[in-house]
Amino acid sequence: MRNTHARQIDRRTVLRGTGAMMALPLLEAMLPKTSQAAIGIEKAIPKRMGIFYFGTGMNMREFEPETEGKDYQLSPTLQTVSKHKDDFTVLSGTYLEHGGGHEGDYTFSTGVKAKDSGTIKNEISMDQLAAEQIGRETRFPSLQMCVHRGTGFGGNLRTLSWNRNGIPLASENDPHILFNRLFKVDGPEEQEIRQTGFRQRRSILDAVMDDAKRLERNVSQQDGVKLDEYFSSVREVEKQLERDIDWSVKPKPAVDTNGMSDFSESYQIHMPSGQFVYERYAKMMYDLIALALETDSTRVVSYVVRQESSGGTFDEFGVSKGFHELTHHGNDPKNLAELAKVDRIYLSHWDYFINRLKSFKQIDNSTLLDHSLLGFSSGMGIGHSKDRLPTCLFGGKAAGITHQGHLRLPTNTPLSRLWHTMLDRLDVQTGETFQDSSGVINELIA
């Protein structure tokens, strides 16, 4: 039986033994006695968020429900996540002004027209706005993931994340690399290599800044503005270096991967045919997101689940064409049926993810899902349109979200209103205006 009169424990308390140190998880006893009430505990549990991109849209004829309200009837595709009906809201009427075609990936999380006359210039994405404000206390302010590594800049994007200078942040696609980055404890040799890397990065940054400052004395006013932007970028890299150094001496969390796949070896979509199974890969990526959020290694995640102009044909899907080719369905019943089939396979993986989040109980007996706001959509609807997007918000009950079942918004409601609502519930300040949003979706706010 628990001691209801136990003394308060400092959260910085660590366990010491066999020469190792490990930080304790958040316990009720670490909370001030005046905060033992439910509302105090809820505030002590961090809020998390994730945005997820399903490139090339979905078969909206099978996705969008016909009825509305909390007691709506699930569509054929949404039947895949039927047991979570009380934990999500379907949002009809969402619109991406600069979406449609295959360029919605560039504007998805920023709301601006990034591609214009052959040039690409973007703004800060909603997840990075969140990372600046709620990610400062975690080892990784944000985590970028995709089925392919890198940014894809100039082509189909592999990232949803853009920093304040409009620079895309690269995604990782290998679960093995991600797991090691999040949870692997470095040995002495690896630690020395890391420290050498820190010193080299510091030396390079110092040399770059010295050269730039000498150059600053002899440039025009216009070039001076560009140099100021450059200095801001260097300072951002310096701050990240300092963060990396600080976190390098802090212990990584130990995790239980029982019931999950083996993360000990590389597992990528580029593996030879017969060695790669997308079903396994999808679950590995979702397991990693759940573990990262549960251990508070990060509070902000973006994931390109499916890239634009792709989607692939995997043996276990049992479809006759590539996903992109199916989206050019020409109203052929067979194409539309296979398109919906693929959508349901992707949502079956999402169902696995939500189950995993629900399996992590918090100290107030809520679930990790209750403290996580997860939004998914696409850069297009059906027929490569910029409206009628497949949009859902999952979780977030502990952050003040009241799910509405199927909420039909006014025609051409900016997708940014969903992002705006999520940021509002995360207590992220967005300023007087946010992208092309006209305000939060009040129906979703308790």
Side-chain angles (χ1 to χ4, degrees), residues 225-352:
V225 172
K226 293 180 179 178
L227 272 178
D228 285 340
E229 293 178 353
Y230 178 74
F231 289 144
S232 295
S233 297
V234 173
R235 282 190 287 272
E236 187 174 320
V237 174
E238 286 180 322
K239 285 190 289 186
Q240 183 57 50
L241 175 58
E242 295 303 323
R243 280 183 51 83
D244 291 345
I245 293 172
D246 289 343
W247 278 101
S248 69
V249 296
K250 297 178 182 178
K252 291 183 178 180
V255 292
D256 180 6
T257 59
N258 185 41
M260 302 182 189
S261 295
D262 181 9
F263 295 102
S264 64
E265 295 183 354
S266 177
Y267 197 75
Q268 298 184 57
I269 206 166
H270 296 299
M271 293 174 70
S273 178
Q275 296 183 27
F276 180 85
V277 178
Y278 184 77
E279 178 90 10
R280 176 188 171 192
Y281 178 83
K283 291 179 177 180
M284 291 176 78
M285 295 292 269
Y286 282 134
D287 278 337
L288 282 169
I289 295 173
L291 288 170
L293 296 177
E294 168 63 9
T295 57
D296 207 26
S297 297
T298 190
R299 297 175 186 173
V300 180
V301 174
S302 65
Y303 182 21
V304 180
V305 183
R306 184 170 63 217
Q307 276 188 277
E308 283 296 334
S309 300
S310 64
T313 48
F314 306 112
D315 293 340
E316 70 264 36
F317 277 32
V319 295
S320 63
K321 302 175 182 177
F323 182 80
H324 181 208
E325 188 178 359
L326 286 173
T327 65
H328 294 273
H329 51 78
N331 285 318
D332 180 271
K334 184 174 184 293
N335 288 340
L336 287 167
E338 291 194 350
L339 191 60
K341 179 179 181 179
V342 175
D343 292 339
R344 290 165 198 165
I345 290 170
Y346 275 95
L347 278 190
S348 72
H349 304 150
W350 183 265
D351 178 73
Y352 173 88

Side-chain angles (χ1 to χ4, degrees), residues 69-108:
K70 293 184 178 181
D71 297 323
Y72 76 105
Q73 184 176 352
L74 288 159
S75 67
T77 294
L78 289 175
Q79 284 286 348
T80 312
V81 290
S82 61
K83 61 176 169 289
H84 309 300
K85 188 177 180 182
D86 293 335
D87 292 299
F88 73 98
T89 299
V90 189
L91 299 164
S92 294
T94 52
Y95 171 80
L96 199 57
E97 182 180 359
H98 304 297
H102 289 291
E103 296 184 355
D105 47 2
Y106 279 82
T107 187
F108 182 73

Side-chain angles (χ1 to χ4, degrees), residues 96-98 106-113 122 416 435-436:
L96 199 57
E97 182 180 359
H98 304 297
Y106 279 82
T107 187
F108 182 73
S109 56
T110 64
V112 300
K113 186 177 183 181
N122 219 328
S416 58
Q435 297 184 7
D436 56 347

Side-chain angles (χ1 to χ4, degrees), residues 260 290 353-361 367-369:
M260 302 182 189
F353 176 46
I354 300 303
N355 283 330
R356 180 66 73 193
L357 294 175
K358 284 185 172 182
S359 73
F360 289 115
K361 296 296 182 180
T367 70
L368 179 56
L369 178 66

